[in-house]
Amino acid sequence: LHPSETLADAASLFLREQITGAPVVDEHGICVGILSATDILSFEEKRAEQPVAAAAHRPHCFDTWDPGSTWWREFGRVRDEIRPRLDESVVEFMTRDVVSVTEDTSLGVVIRQMVDAHVHRVLVLDSARRPQGIISTMDVLAALLRAGHPRQS
């Protein structure tokens, strides 16, 4: 993603590529942040950080699953509130403090960083902070499963 792209652009990329996050890189290919689907859905927190406090209006639709009509009305309100934000820049929602590793970082260190930072992906960056790849929690689980259950020929 580029800083000039919008949340709608990011959401389209995520859906098309079936991913839940991507690095945000400047015109020189330098990583300036990361945007996740969770960041996009954090519009309520972003609004709460603005001068007009929104704590009394915090939705409860994501707290517990209620398949009844109350949930559906809440979903409609959330949808209507996020729609205008889709034209906002990814920069407004991205995480600037990127959890990253280098290509030679051990798997143990990668796992520890994920757990300590409560993230589902870490970026693999080169010495100039250009993205070389992404390691997700699912990548780690797959590697551990393969290592623990080698295929027999």
Side-chain angles (χ1 to χ4, degrees):
L1 293 168
H2 187 270
S4 66
E5 291 184 271
T6 66
L7 290 182
D9 296 329
S12 293
L13 173 72
F14 292 177
L15 292 170
R16 183 177 63 251
E17 299 298 325
Q18 298 182 344
I19 59 175
T20 59
V24 180
V25 297
D26 67 13
E27 61 275 0
H28 304 291
I30 306 301
C31 181
V32 295
I34 188 165
L35 183 75
S36 71
T38 302
D39 293 329
I40 294 173
L41 295 177
S42 71
F43 69 94
E44 278 294 326
E45 285 74 23
K46 296 293 183 184
R47 185 175 70 182
E49 292 170 4
Q50 294 172 354
V52 177
H57 194 269
R58 186 169 299 284
H60 300 286
C61 66
F62 300 114
D63 293 347
T64 59
W65 173 254
D66 176 8
S69 61
T70 302
W71 181 88
W72 189 248
R73 282 194 303 272
E74 187 71 10
F75 174 79
R77 185 189 63 74
V78 171
R79 180 200 61 223
D80 293 345
E81 287 185 19
I82 201 170
R83 189 175 288 145
R85 294 187 164 269
L86 292 176
D87 291 331
E88 293 184 31
S89 168
V90 297
V91 171
E92 300 301 319
F93 287 80
M94 72 180 188
T95 299
R96 295 176 192 278
D97 187 18
V98 174
V99 178
S100 64
V101 297
T102 61
E103 292 175 307
D104 60 347
T105 302
S106 72
L107 182 58
V109 170
V110 170
I111 293 170
R112 177 54 41 210
Q113 285 192 338
M114 287 177 163
V115 170
D116 289 349
H118 303 283
V119 296
H120 297 281
R121 71 192 56 76
V122 296
L123 294 181
V124 180
L125 302 178
D126 68 13
S127 60
R129 298 201 46 84
R130 290 185 304 259
Q132 302 299 303
I134 297 176
I135 303 172
S136 73
T137 51
M138 297 307 287
D139 295 329
V140 172
L141 287 175
L144 293 173
L145 183 62
R146 281 193 304 272
H149 296 287
R151 294 180 188 236
Q152 297 185 3
S153 343

